[in-house]
Amino acid sequence: MSDTTEPDLHSYDTYVVAFSGGKDSLASLLHLLEEGVPFENIELWHHDVDGREGPGLMDWPVTTDYVQSIGDVLGIDVYFSWKKGGFEREMLRDGDATAPVCFETPDGEVVETGGNGGPGTRRKFPQVSGDLSVRWCSAYLKIDVASMALRNQDRFRDSRTLVVTGERAEESASRAKYDTFEVHKADLRNGTRYTRHIDQWRPVHDWSEQDVWDIIRSWEINPHPAYHLGWGRLSCMSCIFGRYNQWASVREVAPQRFEQIAQYEEEFDCTIARDESVREMAEKGQPFDLDEDLVELAMSDTYDADVLDGDWDTPQGAYGESCGPI
Ligand code: SF4
């Protein structure tokens, strides 16, 4: 908890932007740049929800390369991190420890750490809740991954770091309660051998969705293909907060993934939404207006489209069906 709502913005050595590739983290990044934070002091950190070991269940395949492309065009370093085996391995824990975390470093290494915890069993999807103790995907696959990468790199010692994240109050009642500025959970400013000063700032916390699209439009950045297809929010294509139209669209875009998720619900005898299965939700929904070329782009490992778009137009997914608070 902090008694101030704004950081002393130019007092930090490093600015770590938690960058899903979605509109809110992109708006946060652009705001930092407009405030004059030097490009070379900013890093984009992207957490692969599916990890890197399997075919993937939740993430858009194109996201990794879209994120890298944004970094390349803006001249900002990008670092990826993930929990080994990602969402699926964590969900299938059956008397096992949570998997190690892997993160990239500036010298090109991939460091693996953790994985020595006690045994635990999940065998169910995260709960559709604002409570991160039961919505384990956000905590285990994003927030904790970032904290592990911050705690396990000496370069953050005796240094000031600002972690920038894109939560907005307008998204949900639980997000509205977040502090705009606070001490990050990986902070160690009173350490005895060394210090690690890390604050967290949510620069777009009080922004409207209109504000977010306005800054993206003014920089002419092409939004992630998911928004053009009709999704209201990143990061996961198969986000647990999806409702009828999203699940109808997932079934169209990625039938094998949809079937895998439906089968897991049956195997666990516990559905994502608890009161309805994804099959039932898809039946009640209407797929978005799915352009074939965009589907191919979104389901590709390569972002083969322009990052900057001089003919910027509001994407189909803007102001529409959202995937809930993530
Ligand atoms: S996007 Fe949805 S499913 Fe993916 S990690 Fe976030 S809350 Fe979980």
Short mmCIF file of all heavy atoms in Angstrom, two decimals, residues 233-265:
data_model
loop_
_atom_site.label_atom_id
_atom_site.label_comp_id
_atom_site.label_asym_id
_atom_site.label_seq_id
_atom_site.Cartn_x
_atom_site.Cartn_y
_atom_site.Cartn_z
N ARG A 233 -10.84 -8.58 -25.50
CA ARG A 233 -9.72 -8.50 -24.57
C ARG A 233 -8.73 -9.62 -24.80
O ARG A 233 -9.11 -10.73 -25.16
CB ARG A 233 -10.26 -8.60 -23.14
CG ARG A 233 -9.18 -8.45 -22.10
CD ARG A 233 -9.78 -8.37 -20.75
NE ARG A 233 -10.80 -7.32 -20.75
CZ ARG A 233 -11.36 -6.86 -19.65
NH1 ARG A 233 -11.01 -7.36 -18.50
NH2 ARG A 233 -12.27 -5.93 -19.70
N LEU A 234 -7.46 -9.33 -24.58
CA LEU A 234 -6.42 -10.34 -24.54
C LEU A 234 -6.15 -10.63 -23.06
O LEU A 234 -6.57 -9.84 -22.22
CB LEU A 234 -5.16 -9.80 -25.22
CG LEU A 234 -4.93 -10.29 -26.66
CD1 LEU A 234 -6.06 -9.88 -27.55
CD2 LEU A 234 -3.60 -9.80 -27.18
N SER A 235 -5.40 -11.68 -22.65
CA SER A 235 -4.50 -12.30 -23.59
C SER A 235 -5.02 -13.60 -24.21
O SER A 235 -4.74 -13.88 -25.38
CB SER A 235 -3.15 -12.58 -22.91
OG SER A 235 -3.29 -13.35 -21.75
N CYS A 236 -5.74 -14.45 -23.49
CA CYS A 236 -6.02 -15.79 -24.03
C CYS A 236 -7.18 -15.80 -25.02
O CYS A 236 -8.22 -15.18 -24.77
CB CYS A 236 -6.34 -16.75 -22.90
SG CYS A 236 -4.94 -17.07 -21.83
N MET A 237 -7.00 -16.55 -26.11
CA MET A 237 -8.10 -16.80 -27.03
C MET A 237 -9.25 -17.50 -26.30
O MET A 237 -10.42 -17.16 -26.47
CB MET A 237 -7.62 -17.70 -28.18
CG MET A 237 -8.72 -18.21 -29.07
SD MET A 237 -8.09 -19.21 -30.43
CE MET A 237 -7.56 -20.66 -29.55
N SER A 238 -8.88 -18.49 -25.46
CA SER A 238 -9.88 -19.31 -24.77
C SER A 238 -10.03 -18.84 -23.32
O SER A 238 -10.16 -19.66 -22.41
CB SER A 238 -9.45 -20.77 -24.78
OG SER A 238 -8.84 -21.13 -25.98
N CYS A 239 -10.04 -17.53 -23.11
CA CYS A 239 -10.08 -17.01 -21.74
C CYS A 239 -11.27 -17.60 -20.97
O CYS A 239 -12.37 -17.71 -21.50
CB CYS A 239 -10.17 -15.49 -21.75
SG CYS A 239 -10.26 -14.80 -20.09
N ILE A 240 -11.02 -17.92 -19.72
CA ILE A 240 -12.08 -18.50 -18.87
C ILE A 240 -13.26 -17.55 -18.69
O ILE A 240 -14.35 -17.98 -18.31
CB ILE A 240 -11.53 -18.90 -17.49
CG1 ILE A 240 -10.87 -17.70 -16.80
CG2 ILE A 240 -10.57 -20.08 -17.63
CD1 ILE A 240 -10.66 -17.87 -15.32
N PHE A 241 -13.05 -16.25 -18.91
CA PHE A 241 -14.14 -15.29 -18.76
C PHE A 241 -15.01 -15.19 -20.01
O PHE A 241 -15.97 -14.42 -20.04
CB PHE A 241 -13.59 -13.90 -18.42
CG PHE A 241 -13.10 -13.80 -17.00
CD1 PHE A 241 -11.75 -13.88 -16.71
CD2 PHE A 241 -13.99 -13.62 -15.96
CE1 PHE A 241 -11.29 -13.79 -15.41
CE2 PHE A 241 -13.54 -13.52 -14.65
CZ PHE A 241 -12.19 -13.62 -14.38
N GLY A 242 -14.69 -15.96 -21.04
CA GLY A 242 -15.46 -15.90 -22.28
C GLY A 242 -16.92 -16.25 -22.07
O GLY A 242 -17.26 -17.08 -21.22
N ARG A 243 -17.76 -15.60 -22.86
CA ARG A 243 -19.19 -15.92 -22.81
C ARG A 243 -19.62 -16.53 -24.14
O ARG A 243 -18.80 -17.02 -24.89
CB ARG A 243 -20.01 -14.67 -22.43
CG ARG A 243 -19.70 -14.14 -21.02
CD ARG A 243 -19.94 -15.17 -19.93
NE ARG A 243 -21.35 -15.50 -19.80
CZ ARG A 243 -21.82 -16.57 -19.15
NH1 ARG A 243 -20.98 -17.43 -18.60
NH2 ARG A 243 -23.10 -16.79 -19.07
N TYR A 244 -20.90 -16.48 -24.40
CA TYR A 244 -21.46 -17.26 -25.52
C TYR A 244 -20.78 -16.99 -26.86
O TYR A 244 -20.39 -17.91 -27.56
CB TYR A 244 -22.95 -17.00 -25.63
CG TYR A 244 -23.73 -17.31 -24.35
CD1 TYR A 244 -24.87 -16.61 -24.03
CD2 TYR A 244 -23.30 -18.32 -23.49
CE1 TYR A 244 -25.59 -16.90 -22.87
CE2 TYR A 244 -24.00 -18.61 -22.33
CZ TYR A 244 -25.14 -17.89 -22.02
OH TYR A 244 -25.83 -18.20 -20.87
N ASN A 245 -20.69 -15.70 -27.25
CA ASN A 245 -20.15 -15.41 -28.57
C ASN A 245 -18.66 -15.76 -28.67
O ASN A 245 -18.19 -16.19 -29.73
CB ASN A 245 -20.36 -13.93 -28.93
CG ASN A 245 -21.83 -13.61 -29.09
OD1 ASN A 245 -22.66 -14.51 -29.20
ND2 ASN A 245 -22.17 -12.33 -29.10
N GLN A 246 -17.94 -15.57 -27.56
CA GLN A 246 -16.52 -15.92 -27.62
C GLN A 246 -16.36 -17.43 -27.82
O GLN A 246 -15.56 -17.87 -28.64
CB GLN A 246 -15.78 -15.49 -26.36
CG GLN A 246 -14.28 -15.80 -26.50
CD GLN A 246 -13.53 -15.78 -25.18
OE1 GLN A 246 -13.42 -14.73 -24.55
NE2 GLN A 246 -13.04 -16.93 -24.76
N TRP A 247 -17.11 -18.23 -27.07
CA TRP A 247 -16.94 -19.68 -27.20
C TRP A 247 -17.41 -20.17 -28.56
O TRP A 247 -16.82 -21.09 -29.15
CB TRP A 247 -17.63 -20.43 -26.06
CG TRP A 247 -16.86 -20.28 -24.77
CD1 TRP A 247 -17.23 -19.62 -23.65
CD2 TRP A 247 -15.54 -20.79 -24.50
NE1 TRP A 247 -16.24 -19.67 -22.70
CE2 TRP A 247 -15.19 -20.39 -23.20
CE3 TRP A 247 -14.62 -21.53 -25.24
CZ2 TRP A 247 -13.97 -20.71 -22.62
CZ3 TRP A 247 -13.40 -21.87 -24.66
CH2 TRP A 247 -13.08 -21.45 -23.36
N ALA A 248 -18.47 -19.55 -29.10
CA ALA A 248 -18.90 -19.91 -30.46
C ALA A 248 -17.79 -19.57 -31.45
O ALA A 248 -17.57 -20.31 -32.43
CB ALA A 248 -20.18 -19.16 -30.81
N SER A 249 -17.07 -18.49 -31.20
CA SER A 249 -15.99 -18.07 -32.09
C SER A 249 -14.76 -18.96 -31.92
O SER A 249 -14.10 -19.32 -32.91
CB SER A 249 -15.63 -16.61 -31.83
OG SER A 249 -16.77 -15.79 -31.94
N VAL A 250 -14.43 -19.33 -30.68
CA VAL A 250 -13.29 -20.24 -30.46
C VAL A 250 -13.56 -21.56 -31.20
O VAL A 250 -12.66 -22.12 -31.85
CB VAL A 250 -13.07 -20.52 -28.95
CG1 VAL A 250 -12.02 -21.61 -28.74
CG2 VAL A 250 -12.66 -19.25 -28.22
N ARG A 251 -14.79 -22.03 -31.14
CA ARG A 251 -15.12 -23.30 -31.80
C ARG A 251 -14.90 -23.21 -33.31
O ARG A 251 -14.49 -24.17 -33.94
CB ARG A 251 -16.58 -23.67 -31.49
CG ARG A 251 -16.96 -25.06 -31.94
CD ARG A 251 -18.29 -25.50 -31.39
NE ARG A 251 -19.37 -24.64 -31.84
CZ ARG A 251 -20.65 -24.85 -31.57
NH1 ARG A 251 -21.01 -25.89 -30.82
NH2 ARG A 251 -21.57 -24.02 -32.00
N GLU A 252 -15.15 -22.02 -33.88
CA GLU A 252 -14.93 -21.82 -35.32
C GLU A 252 -13.46 -21.70 -35.66
O GLU A 252 -12.98 -22.27 -36.63
CB GLU A 252 -15.60 -20.51 -35.77
CG GLU A 252 -17.10 -20.53 -35.82
CD GLU A 252 -17.61 -21.30 -37.02
OE1 GLU A 252 -17.17 -21.06 -38.15
OE2 GLU A 252 -18.45 -22.18 -36.78
N VAL A 253 -12.75 -20.92 -34.84
CA VAL A 253 -11.37 -20.56 -35.15
C VAL A 253 -10.40 -21.72 -34.85
O VAL A 253 -9.45 -21.95 -35.59
CB VAL A 253 -10.97 -19.31 -34.33
CG1 VAL A 253 -9.48 -19.08 -34.31
CG2 VAL A 253 -11.69 -18.09 -34.85
N ALA A 254 -10.65 -22.42 -33.75
CA ALA A 254 -9.72 -23.46 -33.29
C ALA A 254 -10.53 -24.66 -32.78
O ALA A 254 -10.58 -24.90 -31.57
CB ALA A 254 -8.81 -22.90 -32.20
N PRO A 255 -11.13 -25.42 -33.70
CA PRO A 255 -12.02 -26.51 -33.26
C PRO A 255 -11.33 -27.56 -32.40
O PRO A 255 -11.94 -28.09 -31.46
CB PRO A 255 -12.56 -27.10 -34.56
CG PRO A 255 -11.75 -26.49 -35.67
CD PRO A 255 -11.13 -25.24 -35.15
N GLN A 256 -10.05 -27.83 -32.69
CA GLN A 256 -9.35 -28.86 -31.89
C GLN A 256 -9.13 -28.40 -30.45
O GLN A 256 -9.30 -29.16 -29.50
CB GLN A 256 -8.01 -29.21 -32.52
CG GLN A 256 -8.20 -30.04 -33.78
CD GLN A 256 -6.87 -30.36 -34.44
OE1 GLN A 256 -5.93 -29.57 -34.36
NE2 GLN A 256 -6.82 -31.49 -35.10
N ARG A 257 -8.78 -27.14 -30.29
CA ARG A 257 -8.59 -26.59 -28.93
C ARG A 257 -9.94 -26.58 -28.19
O ARG A 257 -10.00 -26.89 -27.00
CB ARG A 257 -8.06 -25.18 -28.98
CG ARG A 257 -6.60 -25.11 -29.34
CD ARG A 257 -6.20 -23.67 -29.28
NE ARG A 257 -4.79 -23.52 -29.57
CZ ARG A 257 -4.05 -22.53 -29.12
NH1 ARG A 257 -4.59 -21.62 -28.35
NH2 ARG A 257 -2.78 -22.45 -29.41
N PHE A 258 -10.97 -26.15 -28.90
CA PHE A 258 -12.28 -26.12 -28.27
C PHE A 258 -12.66 -27.51 -27.78
O PHE A 258 -13.11 -27.68 -26.63
CB PHE A 258 -13.33 -25.61 -29.28
CG PHE A 258 -14.71 -25.57 -28.72
CD1 PHE A 258 -15.16 -24.46 -28.00
CD2 PHE A 258 -15.57 -26.66 -28.85
CE1 PHE A 258 -16.43 -24.45 -27.44
CE2 PHE A 258 -16.83 -26.65 -28.29
CZ PHE A 258 -17.26 -25.54 -27.60
N GLU A 259 -12.44 -28.51 -28.63
CA GLU A 259 -12.79 -29.89 -28.26
C GLU A 259 -11.96 -30.35 -27.06
O GLU A 259 -12.47 -31.01 -26.15
CB GLU A 259 -12.57 -30.78 -29.48
CG GLU A 259 -13.01 -32.22 -29.30
CD GLU A 259 -14.49 -32.37 -28.94
OE1 GLU A 259 -15.32 -31.51 -29.30
OE2 GLU A 259 -14.80 -33.35 -28.24
N GLN A 260 -10.68 -29.99 -27.05
CA GLN A 260 -9.81 -30.37 -25.93
C GLN A 260 -10.32 -29.76 -24.61
O GLN A 260 -10.37 -30.43 -23.57
CB GLN A 260 -8.38 -29.91 -26.22
CG GLN A 260 -7.37 -30.22 -25.14
CD GLN A 260 -7.04 -31.70 -25.04
OE1 GLN A 260 -6.44 -32.26 -25.94
NE2 GLN A 260 -7.44 -32.33 -23.96
N ILE A 261 -10.71 -28.50 -24.67
CA ILE A 261 -11.23 -27.84 -23.47
C ILE A 261 -12.54 -28.49 -23.03
O ILE A 261 -12.75 -28.77 -21.84
CB ILE A 261 -11.41 -26.32 -23.74
CG1 ILE A 261 -10.04 -25.66 -23.88
CG2 ILE A 261 -12.22 -25.65 -22.63
CD1 ILE A 261 -10.07 -24.24 -24.45
N ALA A 262 -13.41 -28.76 -23.99
CA ALA A 262 -14.69 -29.40 -23.66
C ALA A 262 -14.46 -30.77 -23.02
O ALA A 262 -15.13 -31.16 -22.06
CB ALA A 262 -15.54 -29.52 -24.92
N GLN A 263 -13.48 -31.50 -23.56
CA GLN A 263 -13.20 -32.84 -23.00
C GLN A 263 -12.61 -32.75 -21.59
O GLN A 263 -12.91 -33.59 -20.73
CB GLN A 263 -12.26 -33.60 -23.93
CG GLN A 263 -12.98 -34.09 -25.17
CD GLN A 263 -12.08 -34.89 -26.11
OE1 GLN A 263 -10.98 -35.29 -25.75
NE2 GLN A 263 -12.55 -35.07 -27.33
N TYR A 264 -11.78 -31.74 -21.35
CA TYR A 264 -11.26 -31.55 -19.98
C TYR A 264 -12.42 -31.27 -19.02
O TYR A 264 -12.45 -31.78 -17.89
CB TYR A 264 -10.25 -30.40 -19.93
CG TYR A 264 -8.83 -30.80 -20.30
CD1 TYR A 264 -8.07 -30.00 -21.13
CD2 TYR A 264 -8.25 -31.96 -19.78
CE1 TYR A 264 -6.77 -30.34 -21.46
CE2 TYR A 264 -6.95 -32.30 -20.11
CZ TYR A 264 -6.21 -31.50 -20.94
OH TYR A 264 -4.92 -31.85 -21.26
N GLU A 265 -13.36 -30.44 -19.44
CA GLU A 265 -14.52 -30.16 -18.56
C GLU A 265 -15.24 -31.47 -18.20
O GLU A 265 -15.63 -31.67 -17.05
CB GLU A 265 -15.51 -29.22 -19.26
CG GLU A 265 -15.09 -27.76 -19.32
CD GLU A 265 -16.23 -26.86 -19.78
OE1 GLU A 265 -17.09 -27.33 -20.56
OE2 GLU A 265 -16.27 -25.69 -19.36
#
